Amino acid sequence: MTLQAKLDAFRRDFEAGAPPFNVTKEIVDLQHWATGDLVASGAADRALKEGARAPFFSLPSESGAIVRMDAMLARGPLVLSFYRGVWCPYCNFDLEALQDVLPAIEARGANLVAISPQTPGNSRKSKRQTGAAFDILSDARNAVARRYGLVFKLPDYLIEGVYKPLGADLAAFNGDESWELPIPARFIVSTDGRIAYAEAHPDYKQRPEPTALIDVLDRLSQPA
């Protein structure tokens, strides 16, 4: 089953109010409204595109080790996956799908890291839940995601009507009161520091298939 098929199946169960979710129609309607607003805002248009210079970062992993972008690029291309957090089931499916293609990514000499605004403790929880064998980096206050053009602020009606009732207290998960998130996105950065692949979608329920990453990495390995 493809990643998107798994996400679609989960969405159908969730929006139907099936156990253990038991969500109300009001919550589902607010989610659709907020997603439509974000899509219409053009926020995703600000995300960096193929050919742009990838902003440098140095971030702590779930273990507390500092991971530097330049050190990873010295070893090969870098796959970056920006996601929302451990509280988001769609993101957890995404991490599991990335884990499935991790051997193929590493076989092509590339590295993979995931980046979210959550605290390192919650990143450790992400790894336990998804079986991710790659580093999950903590981007405090979305500082790096902002440089990649991904950050947006949640509207108050969504915070009060959906996130808090569902127990997604981002102030606790992320350790700050901003209530900002990154648009889920994937990038491949080539060894020259340029973005060779970029995909960002404002609807968090839509994710590209991880196998697309392998095609790009194969292309990068071809002689110019």
Side-chain angles (χ1 to χ4, degrees):
M1 183 182 293
T2 66
L3 170 60
Q4 192 58 55
K6 292 179 181 179
L7 299 180
D8 291 342
F10 175 86
R11 176 186 55 77
R12 287 191 295 270
D13 286 345
F14 179 87
E15 294 183 352
F21 315 115
N22 302 315
V23 298
T24 64
K25 182 178 183 301
E26 289 74 16
I27 284 179
V28 173
D29 287 346
L30 282 175
Q31 287 182 314
H32 287 175
W33 188 8
T35 299
D37 281 351
L38 185 60
V39 172
S41 75
D45 295 337
R46 297 194 298 269
L48 293 184
K49 305 295 190 294
E50 183 177 333
R53 176 70 63 178
F56 170 83
F57 64 80
S58 178
L59 293 172
S61 73
E62 74 289 337
S63 68
I66 299 301
V67 176
R68 293 175 55 91
M69 177 178 169
D70 55 348
M72 287 185 288
L73 288 178
R75 301 194 297 269
L78 176 60
V79 178
L80 305 178
S81 183
F82 287 86
Y83 77 107
R84 294 158 20 120
V86 66
W87 51 269
C88 172
Y90 297 92
C91 293
N92 292 330
F93 279 116
D94 199 20
L95 292 181
E96 291 171 355
L98 286 169
Q99 175 60 33
D100 288 342
V101 298
L102 179 62
I105 289 172
E106 293 180 335
R108 287 156 175 81
N111 295 288
L112 165 65
V113 295
I115 300 174
S116 85
Q118 67 191 2
T119 63
N122 283 307
S123 293
R124 289 193 291 274
K125 186 176 180 181
S126 281
K127 293 197 74 164
R128 290 195 300 271
Q129 288 189 358
T130 65
F134 47 87
D135 283 330
I136 298 179
L137 311 183
S138 290
D139 181 20
R141 302 190 70 85
N142 287 290
V144 174
R146 202 177 312 278
R147 296 172 65 200
Y148 279 77
L150 301 174
V151 180
F152 69 99
K153 185 173 179 61
L154 294 175
D156 289 342
Y157 72 82
L158 191 62
I159 296 171
E160 300 301 329
V162 176
Y163 277 66
K164 288 183 177 179
L166 292 181
D169 182 356
L170 298 193
F173 279 106
N174 297 346
D176 75 72
E177 300 285 343
S178 68
W179 285 88
E180 291 181 328
L181 286 175
I183 292 172
R186 291 199 194 122
F187 299 93
I188 294 179
V189 183
S190 59
T191 54
D192 64 0
R194 296 282 179 182
I195 294 174
Y197 169 89
E199 177 77 30
H201 203 296
D203 184 347
Y204 60 91
K205 301 180 293 298
Q206 302 293 320
R207 307 291 173 104
E209 296 300 324
T211 50
L213 301 170
I214 306 306
D215 294 337
V216 178
L217 291 173
D218 285 339
R219 175 168 56 83
L220 290 177
S221 68
Q222 299 298 316

